[in-house]
Amino acid sequence: MSASTVVPPATAAIPSAHTGKLFADRIGRIEVSATMAVTAEAAKLRAQGAKLVDFGAGEPHFATPRHIKDAAIAAIENNFSRYTVVSGIPEVRKAIVERHSCDFGSEYAVEEAVFTTGGKLALFNAIQVLVDHGDEVILPVPYWVSFKDIIQYAGGKPVFLHTEESENFRITAEAIEKAITPKTKAIILNSPSNPAGSVVAPSDLERIVHLAQSKKIFLLLDECYVYLQYKGAPVSGGSFLDAKEHVIVLGSLSKTYAMTGWRAGFALGPRSVVAAMSKLQSQSTSSTASLVQKASIAALTGPQDCVAEMRADYLKLRDRILAGLAGIPGITCTVPEGAFYVYPNVSAYIGKGGMQSATQLATKLLHEAHVVAVPGEAFGTGEHIRLSYAVSHDDVDEGIRRMQDFFRKLG
Ligand SMILES: Cc1ncc(COP(=O)(O)O)c(C=O)c1O
C-alpha cells in the first residue's frame, strides 16, 4: 500500500484530553439543513432508479443567462484568477450599490457593501459579528430553516413570532414591538418569504424600520427573493434613508439570476458592520471566487429582462400549482405573493395512514408517490409542507397528479 492510500486512523472516538468532549458546543446547537436532508434522501431514491418530481430544492430550473456565463468565461480567458480584495473588487461592490439604488432608491457607498460567497454567508457573517451569547433575535414563523440555526450557532436566542395563516402570515410592527425586550439585538425579516411567499406590506416595513431605529436594534432584511414579488413594486429596508444605520440588507444573486451554484451574495449596511463582516471573511473564506465577481458584475449591470421573464414564468407556475392543490380535498393554501414556494396546510391528513407529523407525511409522499416536499417542521410549523414550483410546467402537472392520487388513497 502506498503512503497516499494509507487510511488515517478514525479520530471520532478521540475526545479532547481536558474536556472529555470531541466537538465544540456550538456545533451541537445546530442541525443539518432540513432542505439538504430531503435532497439527500431523494438522491438515494434517484440512484435506485426512481423518477421523482422534485418540489424540494429551492432553486430556479432556468439556466444562468448567456451574458453572465460569457463574463465568467472571459474572466477565465483573461486570467482573472487571483485573490481579490476580501470584500470584493470595487467594481462588483459598485454594481451592487448602483443596482440597489436604481431599483429601490437606496444610497450606499461602495464601503457599505461586501460581496459574499452566497447570501447565506452574508447572513451568517452578519449574525456572527452582531449577536452574542444570550442576545435575542426576533424571528417570525414560518421562517427559512437557516435563520434559526445561524442565530443559535452564534449563541443567540431566536424569539419566535407567531403569525396568522388566515392573514397570509402577515408580520406587523405591533407584533414585533411586543416581542422586543432589553435583550433584543435584531429582527430578521425575509420578504417575499421562504417558505410561504408572504410579503411585508410597505407600510408595515416602514414602521418596523423605524421601530428598529427607535429601539436601537438592527433589522436584518433578507432580500433574496425581492425581485420575485408578483404584485406591486417591491420596497427595500434600505430605502428608508433616515434609518439606514439600523438596517442590514442581505442580498443574493442566486434566485434573481438563476445563479445558485455560483455562490454570489452581498450585504449592504452601516460601514462599521460591513467592515466587521469583511474582517470575519478575511479569516475564513477570503474573497468570493474572482470569476464569480466578474459574472456578477455582468448580472447586475447587464440587461434585466431575464429577471422579468423568469418572474413571469414563476407566476404562471404558481397559479398552476395552486389550481392543482385546490383540487385536493382537505388541503388549503395561502396565495404566495412572491418567491417560488407554496406552503399548503396538510393538517387534514395528519393522523391518517399512520402519519403523525408533516415530516412523516413528506417521507411517505416521497417513498410512495415519488414527490419531494420539505416538511413544515423545518420552517417552524407542523401542519404544512413546502413545495418549490421552480420546476417545469410538466413537472407541476405530474407532481399534482401524483399528490391527488396519494391523498385520495388516504381519504
Ligand atoms: C430566504 C433565503 N435567504 C437566503 C438564501 C441563501 O441563498 P444563497 O446562499 O444561495 O445566496 C436562501 C436560499 O435558499 C433563502 O431561501
Side-chain angles (χ1 to χ4, degrees):
M1 198 187 278
S2 75
S4 61
T5 56
V6 172
V7 179
T11 51
I14 305 171
S16 148
H18 73 285
T19 61
K21 291 186 307 188
L22 174 62
F23 293 114
D25 288 345
R26 60 183 168 277
I27 194 66
R29 292 197 291 265
I30 63 171
E31 289 159 29
V32 175
S33 160
T35 38
M36 306 229 173
V38 171
T39 313
E41 187 67 16
K44 266 197 233 160
L45 280 181
R46 219 176 260 120
Q48 293 162 12
K51 296 265 172 289
L52 306 180
V53 173
D54 194 346
F55 293 138
E59 62 180 339
H61 55 304
F62 297 106
T64 305
R66 183 74 257 167
H67 66 285
I68 303 175
K69 294 198 274 199
D70 284 343
I73 293 166
I76 295 173
E77 294 300 346
N78 294 329
N79 296 318
F80 189 73
S81 49
R82 302 242 161 104
Y83 292 134
T84 75
V85 58
V86 167
S87 53
I89 54 175
E91 296 90 313
V92 77
R93 285 180 288 144
K94 184 165 176 278
I96 291 165
V97 302
E98 287 183 353
R99 175 88 271 141
H100 206 266
S101 161
C102 169
D103 295 338
F104 305 110
S106 60
E107 285 179 15
Y108 287 103
V110 165
E111 296 71 31
E112 293 170 312
V114 53
F115 193 62
T116 57
T117 305
K120 199 180 240 183
L121 192 66
L123 172 73
F124 187 88
N125 287 353
I127 298 276
Q128 284 296 321
V129 306
L130 291 175
V131 174
D132 248 329
H133 282 266
D135 284 349
E136 293 179 355
V137 181
I138 298 174
L139 185 58
V141 181
Y143 48 77
W144 175 48
V145 263
S146 295
F147 292 141
K148 172 177 75 64
D149 291 271
I150 292 176
I151 296 165
Q152 290 176 172
Y153 191 72
K157 180 175 168 238
V159 173
F160 299 112
L161 193 71
H162 177 76
T163 59
E164 292 296 336
E165 186 166 2
S166 58
E167 291 172 15
N168 230 355
F169 302 108
R170 180 175 172 205
I171 297 158
T172 63
E174 289 76 27
I176 289 182
E177 188 161 18
K178 283 194 196 126
I180 294 177
T181 75
K183 289 187 175 168
T184 306
K185 188 67 190 270
I187 306 159
I188 296 190
L189 295 185
N190 168 218
S191 175
S193 78
N194 176 2
S198 342
V199 167
V200 180
S203 54
D204 284 325
L205 183 60
E206 181 169 5
R207 293 173 63 198
I208 295 166
V209 167
H210 290 115
L211 183 62
Q213 183 183 36
S214 69
K215 301 284 182 183
K216 298 190 169 44
I217 57 179
F218 286 100
L219 172 63
L220 271 60
L221 198 63
D222 182 336
E223 298 189 347
C224 182
Y225 299 97
V226 75
Y227 291 100
L228 301 181
Q229 184 174 318
Y230 300 130
K231 220 171 67 191
V235 177
S236 166
S239 316
F240 305 99
L241 303 180
D242 57 331
K244 228 178 103 179
E245 288 302 302
H246 294 272
V247 176
I248 299 164
V249 169
L250 304 161
S252 170
L253 278 69
S254 287
K255 325 281 171 158
T256 314
Y257 301 105
M259 290 178 72
T260 44
W262 297 72
R263 314 308 302 126
F266 60 87
L268 295 166
R271 226 167 263 245
S272 56
V273 176
V274 163
M277 289 173 67
S278 301
K279 180 164 87 169
L280 177 60
Q281 187 156 294
S282 77
Q283 298 297 3
S284 55
T285 55
S286 292
S287 73
T288 55
S290 53
L291 59 112
V292 171
Q293 297 185 44
K294 288 286 189 184
S296 300
I297 294 169
L300 294 160
T301 62
Q304 301 295 301
D305 349 358
C306 53
V307 180
E309 282 160 18
M310 290 190 264
R311 185 175 49 236
D313 198 43
Y314 291 134
L315 183 54
K316 286 189 202 144
L317 286 161
R318 179 200 73 172
D319 291 343
R320 203 172 184 111
I321 202 163
L322 282 176
L325 288 170
I328 304 177
I331 289 191
T332 56
C333 192
T334 52
V335 177
E337 298 160 89
F340 42 56
Y341 309 101
V342 281
Y343 202 52
N345 186 315
V346 292
S347 53
Y349 291 91
I350 295 176
K352 292 189 176 167
M355 301 174 307
Q356 300 306 327
S357 64
T359 299
Q360 289 178 5
L361 188 146
T363 307
K364 202 173 168 73
L365 188 65
L366 173 62
H367 287 275
E368 294 181 11
H370 287 175
V371 170
V372 188
V374 184
E377 283 90 346
F379 310 98
T381 72
E383 304 188 316
H384 305 84
I385 53 173
R386 189 198 75 177
L387 306 172
S388 163
Y389 54 83
V391 297
S392 70
H393 290 248
D394 285 349
D395 271 3
V396 165
D397 294 347
E398 178 59 20
I400 286 291
R401 199 191 54 71
R402 291 184 192 185
M403 285 197 291
Q404 285 171 347
D405 272 4
F406 174 84
F407 287 111
R408 188 177 336 101
K409 281 184 205 140
L410 287 171

